[in-house]
Amino acid sequence: GHLKCPVEWRTLYYKNHHASSFSTPSRLTDPGSSQLGCNWQKGKMMALEWSEDLSLGVDLIDRQHQEIFAKYDEFRNACKAGKGQESLTGMLDFLGRYVENHFRMEEDLMAQSDYPDKEAHIREHRALSDKVHAFQRQLSAQGASINLLAGFNRSFLDWLVDHIKTVDMEMGRFIRPAR
């Protein structure tokens, strides 16, 4: 079976925006939507697009950030095709591996460059890692639900974009000259 879509989805647009124009996502409603990602007419699942204003100027980090945006887009497309249940499991599995590897790489770069805010940055990484693991446990215990999907979307996207635009940008400005 398909998961039911929530009546309300937030849509985020980052394409052609720069950091200073970041705004709160708008809310769209789609009362006709009855399946996860299927038959949306007015509302949409949150979109996330890479744009140059998200670039830190550190190629390795930027490529990995682009990878997570591409993977999320695959997940979003699967949800639109009515395959949200299977896709949520795959997305959380990918994200669990991704945060471990990506965060380790960022933390190594911070250590190599003696980044002064390294500990605070690492705490942010741990917070997201803990969220991903909590979503994985909830999925395992209760199965995919619209509440889990909506909570994942809100938590993950809000955290990701905010983290890149603030904490990672600050780190990028520091380590870029050192590379």
Side-chain angles (χ1 to χ4, degrees), residues 7-78:
V7 173
E8 194 171 79
W9 285 104
R10 296 183 307 158
T11 304
L12 305 176
Y13 294 97
Y14 299 104
K15 192 175 190 176
N16 300 322
H17 289 268
H18 49 80
S20 63
S21 69
F22 180 73
S23 61
T24 304
S26 61
R27 290 197 173 263
L28 299 173
T29 60
D30 183 8
S33 183
S34 63
Q35 296 176 341
L36 175 61
C38 290
N39 305 322
W40 282 330
Q41 295 160 4
K42 297 175 188 168
K44 296 180 181 175
M45 188 173 161
M46 293 180 273
L48 184 64
E49 296 180 11
W50 175 262
S51 62
E52 285 305 310
D53 67 299
L54 296 171
S55 175
L56 306 183
V58 179
D59 288 340
L60 182 58
I61 296 174
D62 288 339
R63 282 195 311 271
Q64 289 184 359
H65 286 167
Q66 289 169 359
E67 177 186 12
I68 193 76
F69 278 61
K71 187 66 174 180
Y72 183 79
D73 194 49
E74 287 175 24
F75 170 65
R76 185 174 162 263
N77 288 333

Side-chain angles (χ1 to χ4, degrees), residues 35-157:
Q35 296 176 341
L36 175 61
C38 290
N39 305 322
W40 282 330
Q41 295 160 4
K42 297 175 188 168
K44 296 180 181 175
M45 188 173 161
M46 293 180 273
L48 184 64
E49 296 180 11
W50 175 262
S51 62
E52 285 305 310
D53 67 299
L54 296 171
S55 175
L56 306 183
V58 179
D59 288 340
L60 182 58
I61 296 174
D62 288 339
R63 282 195 311 271
Q64 289 184 359
H65 286 167
Q66 289 169 359
E67 177 186 12
I68 193 76
F69 278 61
K71 187 66 174 180
Y72 183 79
D73 194 49
E74 287 175 24
F75 170 65
R76 185 174 162 263
N77 288 333
C79 289
K80 288 168 78 174
K83 298 180 180 176
Q85 189 168 8
E86 310 88 72
S87 298
L88 182 58
T89 301
M91 182 64 182
L92 286 171
D93 288 345
F94 166 81
L95 199 52
R97 290 186 308 274
Y98 175 89
V99 296
E100 182 180 324
N101 296 326
H102 176 71
F103 291 168
R104 184 180 323 115
M105 184 273 307
E106 275 191 8
E107 291 164 12
D108 288 348
L109 287 174
M110 288 186 282
Q112 292 167 15
S113 63
D114 292 322
Y115 181 57
D117 290 332
K118 180 178 94 171
E119 294 306 317
H121 198 126
I122 289 172
R123 282 192 298 276
E124 286 221 6
H125 286 172
R126 297 300 169 263
L128 180 64
S129 185
D130 290 348
K131 276 186 185 182
V132 169
H133 289 70
F135 280 118
Q136 288 173 320
R137 285 189 303 274
Q138 188 176 354
L139 178 65
S140 179
Q142 301 170 3
S145 70
I146 196 58
N147 289 336
L148 180 62
L149 180 65
F152 168 75
N153 274 307
R154 269 191 309 277
S155 294
F156 173 68
L157 291 181

